[in-house]
Amino acid sequence: MAIDKKQVEEIVRAVGGKENIEAATHCVTRLRFALYDESKVDTESLDQNDLVKGQFSSQGQFQVVIGPGLVDKVYDEMIQITGGDRSSKDDVKAVAGKKQNPIQRAIKTLSDIFIPILPAIITAGLLLGINNILTGPGIFFDGKSLVDVYPAWKDLASIINTIASTAFTFLPALIGWAAVKRFGGSPLLGIVLGLILVHPDLLSAYGYADAVNNGTVPTWNLFGWEIEKIGYQGQVLPVLVSAYLLAKMEIFLNKRVHDSIKLLVVAPVTLLITGFLAFTIIGPVTFAIANAITSGLIYVYDSYAALGGLIYGGLYALLVITGMHHTFLAVDVQLIGSQGGTFLWPMLALSNIAQGSAALAMMLVLREKKMRGLAATSSVSAFLGVTEPAIFGVNIRYRYPFIFGMIGSAIGGVLLTMNNVQATSIGVGGVPGFLSIFPDKWGVFFIGMAIVLVVPFVLTVLFGRAKLRKEDRSASNETVAEPKAATSQSASGVTSSTAKTDPNQRTRSAAQVGDEAVNTLEIMAPLTGQAVSLEQVPDPAFAEKQMGEGVAIEPSGNVVVAPFDAQVAHVIKSKHAVILEHASGLQVLIHVGINTVSLKGEGFNMHVEAGEHVKAGQKLLEFDRKVIEDAGHPLITPIIIPDGQDMVERVEVTTGDVRSNQNGVLKVHLKG
């Protein structure tokens, strides 16, 4: 497909001109810029550019979504226009990282540490919620729990509780693994460090307060130096600081110890010194700091509950935009570990619902079919605890739904804090968040849920429709200077001029394959696993369907096969993605994992080349799950029908368990 040089020039101008581009690269779907000044970006101009499918800023990079098969041509043209040097992804990432201030870097570090262990924490939270239902008094019977009335369920509840509490009991081991890996050390040593801090020989941190009151705190005596022999269950700061020291010490020794004795020196010395310092200095100091922070939060919560609920409940969605919400994961974990519950998580759950409600309301406001569909699907995602598609795809774009979502969330936050609603664990946000709430507070939480469902929805609909009526009145008062051309709406929802064509004329792009017309193309699953909607992909370019419709698969295997007879249109250099072209001309992108371009081909084995013809079920590529997971990248694999293919009328998506080349995941209805 040829590209319009003027449109590429317009992209360069919209990002502030070549003098504002410090470095630029591209992946399989988007241009990635490190800009000197992002405030110079003309977002409206980018929205109006036919080449641009979407745009967003993330971690110091400004990303312009172009789409597969086209982005490399746009990048080549851009390099010719600007005269700049080609940059790698690491170059742009390094430049972008330098632009972040210390607070942003600290937030990103916490995010990098806690996001990989979040699935384990969320799973534990959900299971603890089930345990709450079984053991909470007054839920089903007055003054009694389900296990009190039906004792046969008691041991089942006990097993569930054991499974659920393990992630929290050994939380320092999870944090140690993620933190040491983030700081450049050996993840295995991080696990060992975390387990050292919760060794059963130590007094559990949960029993420390009682031991102090009873004067029974055990100690070590190091030549007259009394050290408290306590563990750090449920604590965050001690293992974070210790993990940083361990990683840096390991890196230091690895550079200086000869290879022949590294195994005997590096790990033993690193663990011995770090463990000793953790118990003697790091642990006691950070334990005191953590308790001070917790006490401060509890004081504010006890003294100014309504104000705290108003601020945190109302502004949480803003924290999501800045990425600072990941910081509060550590605070939630600390509160649960030291106080047995967190008052922050319930407000997070209501904020998710509020933004979902505002996005859902936009279905009744928006006129563009594609945006109405995005509003519906992203709202469901928000109700289940993932708000990024709703916030970035709909609410921020129109502003007022985002604001009304925050207003509803603020009201709900005041209600929760005034009634001391707390969560026993960190579970899934949104509607399922009630499972994490202490059962005796479910009634108040459900009232708060009703508030954040109704208030943002009603305000958004009323304001949005009033705004549309005002725009219609303004448009009707304008004088039309000349007759308008006939218009038609494309599948992407963009209105464009149309001209009369010969109804008997038929081209390959109109879905003609040889002498046979193809009306529907069923695309089989290229992987075995669980097919899910695109909204569940943790990348806004895919989740917001900026590149096109499609589906995603959480793979259970490691082999990608051709979903139909096709020609290989393009093989991505880093081997993580491939574009196939059907005989009708329809192109399909298969993109293994998220941000896997950064692996530069490591862990991927491509079995086909561009231009090669493949049969349905033929092996396209293999990937090493461990390499991808160890690098911290999600394995979820989007299968995309890129926008801009005029032959596509609509796309149907099928989700659920699938086997490669046996189950259909997409049904593409072709025009003509």
Side-chain angles (χ1 to χ4, degrees), residues 91-125:
D91 293 335
V92 174
K93 188 175 181 180
V95 173
K98 293 177 182 178
K99 296 180 180 297
Q100 295 179 317
N101 59 45
I103 295 177
Q104 289 174 319
R105 288 197 292 270
I107 291 171
K108 184 180 182 302
T109 298
L110 281 176
S111 173
D112 291 343
I113 291 171
F114 279 93
I115 285 180
I117 66 174
L118 201 54
I121 297 176
I122 288 176
T123 300

Side-chain angles (χ1 to χ4, degrees), residues 634-646:
L635 283 167
I636 190 167
T637 298
I639 296 94
I640 303 294
I641 309 298
D643 274 344
Q645 302 187 76
D646 293 337

Side-chain angles (χ1 to χ4, degrees), residues 202-269:
L202 305 171
L203 171 68
S204 172
Y206 300 124
Y208 179 69
D210 290 338
V212 170
N213 293 333
N214 298 328
T216 58
V217 178
T219 59
W220 283 301
N221 189 315
L222 299 179
F223 310 104
W225 183 11
E226 295 285 339
I227 301 170
E228 291 184 335
K229 190 178 177 182
I230 62 172
Y232 294 97
Q233 289 84 354
Q235 299 295 308
V236 174
L237 280 180
V239 68
L240 277 179
V241 176
S242 299
Y244 177 82
L245 176 64
L246 182 145
K248 298 307 175 184
M249 187 176 300
E250 182 189 7
I251 293 171
F252 176 84
L253 291 175
N254 268 325
K255 291 180 179 179
R256 289 162 177 81
V257 175
H258 195 274
D259 290 345
S260 61
I261 58 172
K262 273 186 179 180
L263 188 62
L264 299 174
V265 175
V266 176
V269 172

Side-chain angles (χ1 to χ4, degrees), residues 567-579:
Q567 181 178 11
V568 180
H570 188 54
V571 172
I572 309 307
K573 187 183 297 184
S574 47
K575 304 176 184 178
H576 69 289
V578 61
I579 299 174

Side-chain angles (χ1 to χ4, degrees), residues 271-329:
L271 274 176
L272 180 62
I273 295 177
T274 304
F276 182 82
L277 292 176
F279 286 122
T280 57
I281 299 175
I282 297 174
V285 171
T286 54
F287 188 62
I289 293 173
N291 285 336
I293 294 173
T294 303
S295 299
L297 286 171
I298 297 296
Y299 172 78
V300 172
Y301 177 68
D302 290 340
S303 304
Y304 311 99
L307 180 61
L310 184 71
I311 294 174
Y312 189 77
L315 299 182
Y316 181 79
L318 279 177
L319 297 178
V320 174
I321 293 177
T322 62
M324 290 182 65
H325 62 303
H326 296 304
T327 306
F328 287 89
L329 287 174

Side-chain angles (χ1 to χ4, degrees), residues 380-631:
V380 174
S381 175
F383 290 148
L384 295 176
V386 181
T387 56
E388 281 80 358
I391 289 177
F392 292 105
V394 180
N395 296 352
I396 282 294
R397 182 176 298 185
Y398 297 97
R399 293 187 178 88
Y400 63 89
F402 181 72
I403 294 171
F404 292 142
M406 289 197 298
I407 291 173
S409 180
I411 298 171
V414 171
L415 175 71
L416 296 188
T417 52
M418 290 292 290
N419 289 275
N420 192 30
V421 176
Q422 296 192 35
T424 59
S425 60
I426 299 176
V428 176
V431 175
F434 80 91
L435 291 172
S436 298
I437 308 300
F438 282 97
D440 62 328
K441 297 295 183 180
W442 278 5
V444 178
F445 185 78
F446 287 140
I447 294 173
M449 192 182 295
I451 290 173
V452 296
L453 280 169
V454 174
V455 172
F457 187 90
V458 172
L459 291 178
T460 300
V461 170
L462 292 178
F463 183 88
R465 288 187 170 177
K467 189 171 183 288
L468 283 180
R469 287 194 295 268
K470 182 179 179 181
E471 291 173 354
D472 289 342
R473 286 195 299 269
S474 299
S476 66
N477 292 330
E478 292 179 357
T479 302
V480 181
E482 56 182 310
K484 294 185 178 180
T487 61
S488 66
Q489 192 172 56
S490 71
S492 63
V494 180
T495 302
S496 60
S497 298
T498 60
K500 292 183 177 179
T501 58
D502 182 356
N504 296 317
Q505 184 178 6
R506 201 171 175 88
T507 64
R508 184 171 181 270
S509 63
Q512 184 78 19
V513 183
D515 295 326
E516 181 184 356
V518 177
N519 296 318
T520 304
L521 173 61
E522 184 172 18
I523 297 176
M524 309 303 284
L527 304 97
T528 297
Q530 180 78 16
V532 298
S533 64
L534 282 181
E535 285 77 9
Q536 298 189 37
V537 179
D539 184 308
F542 291 113
E544 297 170 15
K545 302 182 181 178
Q546 294 177 0
M547 289 174 292
E549 288 284 352
V551 71
I553 295 179
E554 290 278 9
S556 57
N558 68 329
V559 177
V560 178
V561 303
F564 49 80
D565 293 351
Q567 181 178 11
V568 180
H570 188 54
V571 172
I572 309 307
K573 187 183 297 184
S574 47
K575 304 176 184 178
H576 69 289
V578 61
I579 299 174
L580 301 179
E581 183 172 326
H582 186 257
S584 65
L586 180 79
Q587 290 193 337
V588 176
L589 164 69
I590 303 173
H591 189 291
V592 179
I594 303 302
N595 289 326
T596 43
V597 64
S598 62
L599 295 176
K600 300 179 179 179
E602 182 184 358
F604 292 93
N605 184 17
M606 186 66 68
H607 293 282
V608 295
E609 298 179 353
E612 183 177 339
H613 289 273
V614 294
K615 292 291 185 181
Q618 182 176 333
K619 186 185 297 183
L620 299 176
L621 67 93
E622 293 177 281
F623 54 92
D624 190 322
R625 298 174 60 93
K626 187 175 186 303
V627 170
I628 299 172
E629 290 172 339
D630 287 350

